[in-house]
Amino acid sequence: MSRIRVAVLGATGVAGQQFLACLAGHPQFEVKKLGASERSAGRKYGDAIKDAHGKVSWFAKDPLVPEFAALMVEDAAHMTPDGVDLVFTAVESDAAKHLEPRFAEKVPVVSTASAFRYEPDVPVFLPAVNLDHVGLIELQRRRRGWKGFITPGPNCTTTGLAITLKPLADAFGIDKVVMTSMQSVSGAGRSPGVLALDVIDNVIPYIAKEEEKVEREAKKILGKLDGDGIVDAPITVSCTCTRVNVLEGHTESVTVSLSRPATEAEVKGAWREHGAAFVRKGYPSSPRQLIVVHDDPYRPQVRLDRDNDDGMATTVGRLRADPVLPNGFKYLLVSHNTKMGAAKGAVLVAEDLVARGYIG
Amino acid sequence: MSRIRVAVLGATGVAGQQFLACLAGHPQFEVKKLGASERSAGRKYGDAIKDAHGKVSWFAKDPLVPEFAALMVEDAAHMTPDGVDLVFTAVESDAAKHLEPRFAEKVPVVSTASAFRYEPDVPVFLPAVNLDHVGLIELQRRRRGWKGFITPGPNCTTTGLAITLKPLADAFGIDKVVMTSMQSVSGAGRSPGVLALDVIDNVIPYIAKEEEKVEREAKKILGKLDGDGIVDAPITVSCTCTRVNVLEGHTESVTVSLSRPATEAEVKGAWREHGAAFVRKGYPSSPRQLIVVHDDPYRPQVRLDRDNDDGMATTVGRLRADPVLPNGFKYLLVSHNTKMGAAKGAVLVAEDLVARGYIG
Amino acid sequence: MSRIRVAVLGATGVAGQQFLACLAGHPQFEVKKLGASERSAGRKYGDAIKDAHGKVSWFAKDPLVPEFAALMVEDAAHMTPDGVDLVFTAVESDAAKHLEPRFAEKVPVVSTASAFRYEPDVPVFLPAVNLDHVGLIELQRRRRGWKGFITPGPNCTTTGLAITLKPLADAFGIDKVVMTSMQSVSGAGRSPGVLALDVIDNVIPYIAKEEEKVEREAKKILGKLDGDGIVDAPITVSCTCTRVNVLEGHTESVTVSLSRPATEAEVKGAWREHGAAFVRKGYPSSPRQLIVVHDDPYRPQVRLDRDNDDGMATTVGRLRADPVLPNGFKYLLVSHNTKMGAAKGAVLVAEDLVARGYIG
Amino acid sequence: MSRIRVAVLGATGVAGQQFLACLAGHPQFEVKKLGASERSAGRKYGDAIKDAHGKVSWFAKDPLVPEFAALMVEDAAHMTPDGVDLVFTAVESDAAKHLEPRFAEKVPVVSTASAFRYEPDVPVFLPAVNLDHVGLIELQRRRRGWKGFITPGPNCTTTGLAITLKPLADAFGIDKVVMTSMQSVSGAGRSPGVLALDVIDNVIPYIAKEEEKVEREAKKILGKLDGDGIVDAPITVSCTCTRVNVLEGHTESVTVSLSRPATEAEVKGAWREHGAAFVRKGYPSSPRQLIVVHDDPYRPQVRLDRDNDDGMATTVGRLRADPVLPNGFKYLLVSHNTKMGAAKGAVLVAEDLVARGYIG
């Protein structure tokens, strides 16, 4: 099979770099074009990410591979989809509003931006959770007259929540969710990002717009495709999002009310079995297990568990009955916000869309 | 008025040192005796807290005053209440089981240990919350044949929760509470305490026995005195207690279901007015305001707010409606775990008991 | 005595806020005018420091006092010295180059910016260290034809080093200095400041331009006034400046080669006596002791010692002989970078200049 | 070749666990026996490391393999070397004094304990630095009448320093060294270890006995074998050892005086070439490059560089001329204190001793 030619927009930012880190040596995707702001255009990528002092600003753990460093960066505002089969975008939401449709006219656009997440004809894919929303792609194409389409991923805080709720929704039904997050600083990126001055020896009790996003996206992702669109899952979600002094990985304390009684063993069973069929497909970016369940009450710990399966597994623990909500259960989860919760999650979605024939 | 002569048990530990920090220069309490383990007995306090290398291990922010440093430490196991009117104890719970009753036979014992918290004839006082449980003291004396009594303070995580729930319970009634805490490392003390190795770049999802304590104590503290004892408040409390990389001060994310509808303004009003009468008494260790309410969504922040009124005020913010629970509200609170949540809170209780004639 | 009317330039930034925190309730200085960028001009200060979301961005520990919040901010670029006797500036160095001379034509300018530090006719005052460089003010006025003058303070990392070297230079002479700093994140301010992402669980081995500044400034500050200017102290200084995960306060590991032999007791004596005459003047911002000397090897600790005398004392410890340099000694120091090392140090200098008749 | 049968003493502690992590799946070494304190004896290893609450206390990043978990722990005090060809010991220094000689009578003992480091007939091996001290083994055997021998590794802070000094000593000679370390908390282990309470937002300026160890060991490791023993390198080393809020990996700021002039390029060249022959041997635990040299002034950063080659490479950067010392150079280094600086470094030494025929 010939490799699928991809462009990465917003390639110089942190999220864009994470795309490149995931795509280095990828067996299916071949990075052909890089788009960024006018300031970076016309320079080799390796030069474009140097700061004013000549220092290379590369923030992913995996190194920048030479073939990407040598690519010429184009001005995203004037770039075309010519010569590529797929576009990954990691631009800010405001930029995405204008850029992504221009590319989607011709080719599929898989994005981490929030710009189109709440459009009724746009699916917010989460691997092994709602890839059956894929029918929305046809609706989107038809309505908008595009050859391509746009599929944004969810907010990084929605990711772990929706992944762990999905098997419970399928097995027992869920009605209500109360969640308090303890989010890492990497989710805020670098411009401006979280200042050390603000987070050392501290908890920041508010992340602007985050709670609304998670509440809205969880209902959409767990919703059902119904002809003309997604019918939101009939659940109530109540979030409190905080920032803690952690580098990477989000911890979430979740209380969920099931629609019918279940035992702890049944809940753990539903989690452990979740995604088995998906995992068997063996996509390059897939975890070996979607949800890792701990019985040790001292797990999940974000520093110990965030990198499970290169950040693509969600880890849960401390499952116990909750006395407040009907058929209530409490648990904690750890999810890697810049892997499954961002670029690498988007790449995994793209891998699935390739397998189903929507890309390539 | 002559000063009340006090002994401090467990004086060499972190909690004991916090008692001494609060009692330095206290207008009412005069520290006369210090008790600790056999190892420290017979040495001046200033020497007894030196470690193997001769280093003074004093951990409170306020300095150790010379008059305490010069006091001779006694073996708590053989110490008597002779010559003191009041005993503050900061010993471990196991030691408290045996030590505290021995002193309570003769004099009042105000404690931070959990040993007697759950006894039906023992009040768990929280300033401006349940000092009307004081009638339990007579019951305790009668039943146990003591001249003195034991009053332990609550767990440090219960403190801020119960303080902020009390005015809501009084004004609107409360039915259910869901709480996730992000607790500081100082709550665990120093032996063994929290290792840096465990908490750097991490969240620890479990604190042994903590959740049960908070759930149980909140119901007792908010309960009503009824003849022979406390009738627990008819509320359901569900806690998740975690440890974060913060030095001092606990942050708690709370969802509460009120018994009847209220507006945000009414809730804030109830908080702001709470404890006004108590505060007017002007006790030496009293905050000027019991609950500080913020409208800025970026508050409370534990590093910025824990030291309000020398750690004796509880700070709340981010009040908003909660869609999951009936008449639901969500908020965050910050409470200083080693001030109002421990020794200084106990001293404030003692100041009130003096004013009411139970001590001295 | 009537109070001295002052303007603060760069009032909305972190350093400017620190000036306002120091000047609240100051017995001598009355803040009359505030200057900032065009964006803030024409708004009340309390509004000008609100961010895009309406959140007040005030970063000093001491609260913003209402009389400053009510002051109207002027555009610094068009502001005049009319109506003020003294200007404190906390602007970036590039802006200082143009702004400070315009004000110095008429009134004294005491600054934290580096723009004029290295000019031969500009003194870099450090309290109790080189206030005898005051003669340079006349030279500066004469050469530049100004009624006022400019006196910048040193870099925050130079401050503690020069303060602790000065008594050694006076008593024993010094030849060589090797210094490694472990600097806090607050020194970098907020725009851009140090990202949590960079400093969590890390040491950043480089701070651009910092080492050169410290090496150069130490020689100037310890130099002698000689007719037309300062003759640099004949010492060699070699610095390595790093950033660690500390909120406030710089730690420095210093090795110094004295010009003649000395004992540890003599060195400690020189430190302890240093600045006694200065301290007796009792300036409002003065520490009670300039250098606090510890014998406990576990001190100084930056979190425990930075706030000594409201951040105006420098704390030293671990003095011991060094085998590498002739007459070598090693020690560690802790200095508060945003108090004595910045705005409050500048205010203390101004207090001294008032006493000597150079201001007011 | 049949595998070499090894025992690990002190197997339940942090350092012992690190040995087991390195030895899992090792191609040459087969763990046959585990020794620990009496308390652990007679239990399976997987049970012996459970704490009072039944929680498995395993602290290495790599998981505990089942074959080690199933091994029965013996009481080290009564264990014999029967059935093993080699003993790795990770016991405390006091225990090592008695235990290690008992085993060394029969078999080689490779240790991380300091007990025998300063004995004249005991080599302190550092891979690619002083394996030519191997002749000391014969002397030791002869003098002590042992069939085996003891070879302790250096203190973790000595490791990176000696590795980076060695090529400079060989190429240019070195006379003097001034070093300030910023050490991670993992070096202190877990009992008692570094409390979060002490290191959050702080720098601890003192590590008991550390500086003396580093000064002494560096001279021995860089010394020359001369008939009856090691002649210490004729260098003067002056250390200041501090603890910073970093999880793993030590950062050291080094100033070195060479015996003859050199250029920066020559110094970097010496580092880059260092250990090439050693690395080519391809030992299982060997890094691919002994010293990684950075030109980017923002490197080395401990969080980014500690894991180079699984913690077995030492990373240097910021090389520049130093004006204080003759032929002076300054640089920073990062070294992984619990990998090359402890158990895995010891395993690498053992691999070399196998190749030379001293073990097995």
Side-chain angles (χ1 to χ4, degrees), chain A residues 130-154:
Chain A
N130 68 343
L131 292 170
D132 59 336
H133 290 184
V134 76
L136 219 53
I137 288 179
E138 285 314 321
L139 178 73
Q140 188 189 134
R141 282 175 160 159
R142 210 166 53 237
R143 282 207 187 152
R144 302 187 185 239
W146 291 346
K147 292 174 63 182
F149 54 84
I150 296 176
T151 68

mmCIF file of all heavy atoms in Angstrom, chain A residues 130-154:
data_model
loop_
_atom_site.group_PDB
_atom_site.id
_atom_site.type_symbol
_atom_site.label_atom_id
_atom_site.label_comp_id
_atom_site.label_asym_id
_atom_site.label_seq_id
_atom_site.Cartn_x
_atom_site.Cartn_y
_atom_site.Cartn_z
ATOM 1 N N ASN A 130 -16.608 6.050 20.018
ATOM 2 C CA ASN A 130 -17.716 6.475 19.160
ATOM 3 C C ASN A 130 -17.340 6.521 17.688
ATOM 4 O O ASN A 130 -17.782 7.415 16.959
ATOM 5 C CB ASN A 130 -18.241 7.840 19.628
ATOM 6 C CG ASN A 130 -17.201 8.932 19.390
ATOM 7 O OD1 ASN A 130 -16.024 8.623 19.183
ATOM 8 N ND2 ASN A 130 -17.630 10.168 19.389
ATOM 9 N N LEU A 131 -16.502 5.585 17.278
ATOM 10 C CA LEU A 131 -16.147 5.597 15.863
ATOM 11 C C LEU A 131 -17.363 5.248 14.998
ATOM 12 O O LEU A 131 -17.342 5.442 13.786
ATOM 13 C CB LEU A 131 -14.950 4.684 15.608
ATOM 14 C CG LEU A 131 -13.653 5.236 16.247
ATOM 15 C CD1 LEU A 131 -12.530 4.213 16.211
ATOM 16 C CD2 LEU A 131 -13.205 6.530 15.570
ATOM 17 N N ASP A 132 -18.429 4.763 15.650
ATOM 18 C CA ASP A 132 -19.666 4.514 14.898
ATOM 19 C C ASP A 132 -20.395 5.820 14.560
ATOM 20 O O ASP A 132 -21.400 5.800 13.855
ATOM 21 C CB ASP A 132 -20.599 3.577 15.695
ATOM 22 C CG ASP A 132 -20.962 4.162 17.041
ATOM 23 O OD1 ASP A 132 -20.188 5.001 17.561
ATOM 24 O OD2 ASP A 132 -22.014 3.800 17.575
ATOM 25 N N HIS A 133 -19.892 6.921 15.015
ATOM 26 C CA HIS A 133 -20.445 8.215 14.571
ATOM 27 C C HIS A 133 -19.951 8.557 13.170
ATOM 28 O O HIS A 133 -20.213 9.654 12.672
ATOM 29 C CB HIS A 133 -20.025 9.342 15.540
ATOM 30 C CG HIS A 133 -20.675 9.269 16.890
ATOM 31 N ND1 HIS A 133 -20.484 10.227 17.860
ATOM 32 C CD2 HIS A 133 -21.525 8.355 17.437
ATOM 33 C CE1 HIS A 133 -21.179 9.903 18.949
ATOM 34 N NE2 HIS A 133 -21.803 8.773 18.725
ATOM 35 N N VAL A 134 -19.247 7.628 12.585
ATOM 36 C CA VAL A 134 -18.607 7.907 11.293
ATOM 37 C C VAL A 134 -19.619 8.274 10.208
ATOM 38 O O VAL A 134 -19.290 8.979 9.246
ATOM 39 C CB VAL A 134 -17.726 6.687 10.891
ATOM 40 C CG1 VAL A 134 -18.581 5.542 10.401
ATOM 41 C CG2 VAL A 134 -16.656 7.075 9.900
ATOM 42 N N GLY A 135 -20.859 7.846 10.424
ATOM 43 C CA GLY A 135 -21.894 8.190 9.452
ATOM 44 C C GLY A 135 -22.081 9.694 9.307
ATOM 45 O O GLY A 135 -22.528 10.195 8.275
ATOM 46 N N LEU A 136 -21.716 10.411 10.340
ATOM 47 C CA LEU A 136 -21.852 11.862 10.312
ATOM 48 C C LEU A 136 -20.988 12.495 9.222
ATOM 49 O O LEU A 136 -21.254 13.610 8.755
ATOM 50 C CB LEU A 136 -21.451 12.428 11.678
ATOM 51 C CG LEU A 136 -22.246 13.592 12.242
ATOM 52 C CD1 LEU A 136 -23.729 13.288 12.252
ATOM 53 C CD2 LEU A 136 -21.779 13.886 13.661
ATOM 54 N N ILE A 137 -19.938 11.776 8.866
ATOM 55 C CA ILE A 137 -19.047 12.310 7.841
ATOM 56 C C ILE A 137 -19.808 12.521 6.535
ATOM 57 O O ILE A 137 -19.662 13.550 5.868
ATOM 58 C CB ILE A 137 -17.837 11.362 7.641
ATOM 59 C CG1 ILE A 137 -16.903 11.474 8.855
ATOM 60 C CG2 ILE A 137 -17.097 11.678 6.356
ATOM 61 C CD1 ILE A 137 -15.681 10.563 8.796
ATOM 62 N N GLU A 138 -20.640 11.543 6.196
ATOM 63 C CA GLU A 138 -21.394 11.673 4.938
ATOM 64 C C GLU A 138 -22.351 12.857 5.001
ATOM 65 O O GLU A 138 -22.478 13.639 4.062
ATOM 66 C CB GLU A 138 -22.175 10.380 4.661
ATOM 67 C CG GLU A 138 -21.300 9.250 4.169
ATOM 68 C CD GLU A 138 -20.335 9.697 3.072
ATOM 69 O OE1 GLU A 138 -20.718 10.511 2.203
ATOM 70 O OE2 GLU A 138 -19.164 9.261 3.116
ATOM 71 N N LEU A 139 -22.998 12.986 6.161
ATOM 72 C CA LEU A 139 -23.914 14.106 6.351
ATOM 73 C C LEU A 139 -23.170 15.432 6.193
ATOM 74 O O LEU A 139 -23.626 16.351 5.503
ATOM 75 C CB LEU A 139 -24.516 14.018 7.757
ATOM 76 C CG LEU A 139 -25.464 15.157 8.150
ATOM 77 C CD1 LEU A 139 -26.795 15.030 7.411
ATOM 78 C CD2 LEU A 139 -25.713 15.162 9.664
ATOM 79 N N GLN A 140 -22.015 15.485 6.807
ATOM 80 C CA GLN A 140 -21.215 16.711 6.761
ATOM 81 C C GLN A 140 -20.827 17.051 5.333
ATOM 82 O O GLN A 140 -20.957 18.197 4.873
ATOM 83 C CB GLN A 140 -19.962 16.512 7.627
ATOM 84 C CG GLN A 140 -19.138 17.770 7.813
ATOM 85 C CD GLN A 140 -17.788 17.496 8.487
ATOM 86 O OE1 GLN A 140 -16.760 17.980 8.047
ATOM 87 N NE2 GLN A 140 -17.804 16.682 9.529
ATOM 88 N N ARG A 141 -20.383 16.041 4.599
ATOM 89 C CA ARG A 141 -19.977 16.258 3.202
ATOM 90 C C ARG A 141 -21.154 16.752 2.369
ATOM 91 O O ARG A 141 -21.027 17.670 1.550
ATOM 92 C CB ARG A 141 -19.476 14.942 2.606
ATOM 93 C CG ARG A 141 -18.069 14.594 3.040
ATOM 94 C CD ARG A 141 -17.697 13.217 2.516
ATOM 95 N NE ARG A 141 -16.255 13.035 2.483
ATOM 96 C CZ ARG A 141 -15.640 11.853 2.453
ATOM 97 N NH1 ARG A 141 -16.351 10.742 2.440
ATOM 98 N NH2 ARG A 141 -14.339 11.787 2.421
ATOM 99 N N ARG A 142 -22.282 16.106 2.584
ATOM 100 C CA ARG A 142 -23.467 16.433 1.800
ATOM 101 C C ARG A 142 -23.897 17.866 2.080
ATOM 102 O O ARG A 142 -24.078 18.668 1.171
ATOM 103 C CB ARG A 142 -24.591 15.461 2.190
ATOM 104 C CG ARG A 142 -25.569 15.172 1.084
ATOM 105 C CD ARG A 142 -26.428 13.950 1.435
ATOM 106 N NE ARG A 142 -27.061 14.066 2.732
ATOM 107 C CZ ARG A 142 -26.922 13.189 3.719
ATOM 108 N NH1 ARG A 142 -26.157 12.119 3.569
ATOM 109 N NH2 ARG A 142 -27.548 13.366 4.872
ATOM 110 N N ARG A 143 -23.994 18.179 3.373
ATOM 111 C CA ARG A 143 -24.462 19.510 3.749
ATOM 112 C C ARG A 143 -23.532 20.615 3.291
ATOM 113 O O ARG A 143 -23.948 21.693 2.904
ATOM 114 C CB ARG A 143 -24.562 19.602 5.275
ATOM 115 C CG ARG A 143 -25.787 18.943 5.817
ATOM 116 C CD ARG A 143 -26.171 19.592 7.128
ATOM 117 N NE ARG A 143 -27.248 18.882 7.758
ATOM 118 C CZ ARG A 143 -27.458 18.840 9.069
ATOM 119 N NH1 ARG A 143 -26.629 19.486 9.886
ATOM 120 N NH2 ARG A 143 -28.472 18.189 9.555
ATOM 121 N N ARG A 144 -22.264 20.373 3.415
ATOM 122 C CA ARG A 144 -21.287 21.434 3.180
ATOM 123 C C ARG A 144 -20.695 21.368 1.774
ATOM 124 O O ARG A 144 -19.940 22.250 1.372
ATOM 125 C CB ARG A 144 -20.175 21.345 4.219
ATOM 126 C CG ARG A 144 -20.724 21.459 5.658
ATOM 127 C CD ARG A 144 -19.640 21.537 6.700
ATOM 128 N NE ARG A 144 -20.198 21.530 8.049
ATOM 129 C CZ ARG A 144 -20.021 22.500 8.962
ATOM 130 N NH1 ARG A 144 -19.298 23.557 8.657
ATOM 131 N NH2 ARG A 144 -20.569 22.412 10.155
ATOM 132 N N GLY A 145 -21.049 20.292 1.048
ATOM 133 C CA GLY A 145 -20.545 20.180 -0.315
ATOM 134 C C GLY A 145 -19.041 19.975 -0.384
ATOM 135 O O GLY A 145 -18.376 20.428 -1.312
ATOM 136 N N TRP A 146 -18.492 19.296 0.616
ATOM 137 C CA TRP A 146 -17.042 19.076 0.669
ATOM 138 C C TRP A 146 -16.702 17.686 0.152
ATOM 139 O O TRP A 146 -17.443 16.736 0.335
ATOM 140 C CB TRP A 146 -16.534 19.181 2.113
ATOM 141 C CG TRP A 146 -16.591 20.562 2.714
ATOM 142 C CD1 TRP A 146 -16.778 21.744 2.054
ATOM 143 C CD2 TRP A 146 -16.468 20.887 4.109
ATOM 144 N NE1 TRP A 146 -16.766 22.787 2.951
ATOM 145 C CE2 TRP A 146 -16.579 22.295 4.214
ATOM 146 C CE3 TRP A 146 -16.276 20.138 5.270
ATOM 147 C CZ2 TRP A 146 -16.492 22.957 5.433
ATOM 148 C CZ3 TRP A 146 -16.174 20.791 6.477
ATOM 149 C CH2 TRP A 146 -16.286 22.194 6.560
ATOM 150 N N LYS A 147 -15.521 17.583 -0.438
ATOM 151 C CA LYS A 147 -14.992 16.252 -0.729
ATOM 152 C C LYS A 147 -14.354 15.652 0.524
ATOM 153 O O LYS A 147 -14.381 14.457 0.735
ATOM 154 C CB LYS A 147 -13.940 16.323 -1.840
ATOM 155 C CG LYS A 147 -14.535 16.699 -3.192
ATOM 156 C CD LYS A 147 -13.457 16.910 -4.240
ATOM 157 C CE LYS A 147 -12.658 15.632 -4.523
ATOM 158 N NZ LYS A 147 -11.587 15.911 -5.516
ATOM 159 N N GLY A 148 -13.753 16.523 1.323
ATOM 160 C CA GLY A 148 -13.159 16.059 2.581
ATOM 161 C C GLY A 148 -14.139 16.233 3.732
ATOM 162 O O GLY A 148 -15.361 16.247 3.522
ATOM 163 N N PHE A 149 -13.618 16.371 4.913
ATOM 164 C CA PHE A 149 -14.457 16.553 6.106
ATOM 165 C C PHE A 149 -13.551 17.023 7.245
ATOM 166 O O PHE A 149 -12.322 17.018 7.124
ATOM 167 C CB PHE A 149 -15.164 15.248 6.481
ATOM 168 C CG PHE A 149 -14.241 14.077 6.661
ATOM 169 C CD1 PHE A 149 -13.580 13.846 7.868
ATOM 170 C CD2 PHE A 149 -13.999 13.196 5.582
ATOM 171 C CE1 PHE A 149 -12.715 12.770 8.021
ATOM 172 C CE2 PHE A 149 -13.115 12.120 5.740
ATOM 173 C CZ PHE A 149 -12.470 11.911 6.957
ATOM 174 N N ILE A 150 -14.193 17.421 8.343
ATOM 175 C CA ILE A 150 -13.445 17.828 9.540
ATOM 176 C C ILE A 150 -13.835 16.921 10.704
ATOM 177 O O ILE A 150 -15.023 16.739 10.969
ATOM 178 C CB ILE A 150 -13.758 19.286 9.936
ATOM 179 C CG1 ILE A 150 -13.291 20.252 8.850
ATOM 180 C CG2 ILE A 150 -13.090 19.638 11.282
ATOM 181 C CD1 ILE A 150 -13.657 21.705 9.118
ATOM 182 N N THR A 151 -12.863 16.343 11.376
ATOM 183 C CA THR A 151 -13.142 15.624 12.629
ATOM 184 C C THR A 151 -12.179 16.097 13.700
ATOM 185 O O THR A 151 -11.016 15.728 13.695
ATOM 186 C CB THR A 151 -13.012 14.089 12.477
ATOM 187 O OG1 THR A 151 -11.654 13.762 12.262
ATOM 188 C CG2 THR A 151 -13.859 13.554 11.365
ATOM 189 N N PRO A 152 -12.679 16.909 14.618
ATOM 190 C CA PRO A 152 -11.840 17.338 15.746
ATOM 191 C C PRO A 152 -11.877 16.294 16.839
ATOM 192 O O PRO A 152 -12.866 15.572 16.998
ATOM 193 C CB PRO A 152 -12.520 18.623 16.214
ATOM 194 C CG PRO A 152 -13.942 18.486 15.795
ATOM 195 C CD PRO A 152 -14.013 17.503 14.662
ATOM 196 N N GLY A 153 -10.810 16.206 17.592
ATOM 197 C CA GLY A 153 -10.819 15.375 18.801
ATOM 198 C C GLY A 153 -11.369 16.177 19.959
ATOM 199 O O GLY A 153 -11.517 17.397 19.874
ATOM 200 N N PRO A 154 -11.690 15.504 21.058
ATOM 201 C CA PRO A 154 -12.228 16.223 22.221
ATOM 202 C C PRO A 154 -11.136 16.973 22.984
ATOM 203 O O PRO A 154 -9.946 16.757 22.761
ATOM 204 C CB PRO A 154 -12.796 15.106 23.096
ATOM 205 C CG PRO A 154 -12.029 13.887 22.720
ATOM 206 C CD PRO A 154 -11.608 14.058 21.286
#
